[in-house]
Amino acid sequence: MYEVVLVKDVEKYLKSCPGKMRERFLRQLSTLEESPRTQGDMMVGEFHGLYRMKLFYNGVQYRAIYDIQEEKVRVLVLFIGKREQVYEKAKRKKIAKK
């Protein structure tokens, strides 16, 4: 099993979410513990090597962007946000898998 680790910005984002939304996202993210590759899709382009997972709450689409770190047997969740905004946020932070 993989350990799912949230970066500080993701923790902060989840703390700002309403309780039911936070619970739902954490429940969905917990599915990454057993099979992180099948729960999401590998990204292409500048984010090649990272994965994205679709999250939904009240009819709104969200995305989680994460990295699978095999050597540490963990999944590092880098971003969560509305679908329209999360990719721009990732570009600004210049996150890319090397």
Side-chain angles (χ1 to χ4, degrees):
M1 283 191 50
Y2 289 82
E3 175 188 16
V4 177
V5 178
L6 311 175
V7 298
K8 287 238 185 246
D9 286 346
V10 171
E11 287 179 356
K12 185 177 175 182
Y13 179 82
L14 289 174
K15 284 181 183 177
S16 72
C17 293
K20 289 192 182 271
M21 181 179 183
R22 179 176 45 250
E23 289 172 20
R24 183 174 199 150
F25 285 171
L26 288 172
R27 192 170 48 251
Q28 290 176 27
L29 290 171
S30 72
T31 64
L32 296 174
E33 292 175 345
E34 294 204 23
S35 55
R37 285 185 175 74
T38 60
Q39 297 301 319
D41 298 311
M42 185 180 280
M43 298 176 68
V44 295
E46 65 188 290
F47 301 115
H48 179 74
L50 298 175
Y51 288 78
R52 68 174 183 247
M53 178 182 199
K54 296 177 183 178
L55 306 171
F56 296 95
Y57 184 75
N58 280 349
V60 179
Q61 291 187 38
Y62 293 83
R63 293 291 187 272
I65 297 177
Y66 61 95
D67 183 22
I68 302 171
Q69 299 177 330
E70 289 294 340
E71 67 282 354
K72 296 181 181 178
V73 192
R74 76 176 183 182
V75 175
L76 185 63
V77 181
L78 302 167
F79 296 100
I80 291 181
K82 289 187 178 176
R83 184 183 61 103
E84 306 84 29
Q85 300 163 346
V86 74
Y87 300 113
E88 286 303 316
K89 188 188 295 186
K91 285 179 185 178
R92 283 195 305 273
K93 295 264 185 166
K94 297 183 185 330
I95 298 294
K97 180 91 171 178
K98 302 293 180 204

